[in-house]
Amino acid sequence: GSFEEILQYTKESDAYFRRAKLGKARKMLTDKDLKGEAVLMSNAVTFDLIGINRASRPGKENREDQLRYLEELKKDIAKFLELEKTIVFE
């Protein structure tokens, strides 16, 4: 997508995905220690989105940085998803 579209995407992803989805998922965790770890993972997603956003701003467009932060974002989301198997449903 265009740099402008990517800027919009990062804003929407932060509001919808990170806050709503990761926040809700974090509350489902049953292990207290993992809840703290999940907060750190959620924060990592925030920093990844900020990195993509910065690399998309007018005058600072940098496709290489966008892709680097995108890879970090994928890794951080994958780590977060690994926590799902720790949830104990009663």
Side-chain angles (χ1 to χ4, degrees):
S2 71
F3 287 106
E4 188 175 300
E5 291 170 328
I6 293 170
L7 266 174
Q8 187 61 35
Y9 169 80
T10 58
K11 291 174 188 174
E12 291 170 4
S13 292
D14 184 58
Y16 175 75
F17 179 72
R18 186 192 62 82
R19 289 187 192 149
K21 298 298 178 187
L22 293 183
K24 186 175 180 180
R26 195 173 61 236
K27 290 176 185 169
M28 293 178 68
L29 294 172
T30 50
D31 183 309
K32 222 178 210 181
D33 292 334
L34 287 180
K35 280 188 180 193
E37 192 174 328
V39 169
L40 296 176
M41 290 179 191
S42 181
N43 289 346
V45 168
T46 300
F47 292 124
D48 299 336
L49 290 169
I50 289 169
I52 295 169
N53 183 288
R54 284 186 178 159
S56 304
R57 293 177 185 168
K60 299 189 185 220
E61 296 95 340
N62 185 317
R63 187 70 67 193
E64 189 177 302
D65 282 350
Q66 281 180 328
L67 294 174
R68 180 170 52 90
Y69 282 109
L70 178 60
E71 286 306 311
E72 288 298 317
L73 179 62
K74 289 178 186 179
K75 289 176 191 173
D76 290 332
I77 291 172
K79 282 185 213 173
F80 193 91
L81 291 174
E82 284 292 312
L83 296 177
E84 181 180 18
K85 63 185 168 197
T86 70
I87 298 172
V88 177
F89 295 99
E90 294 178 26

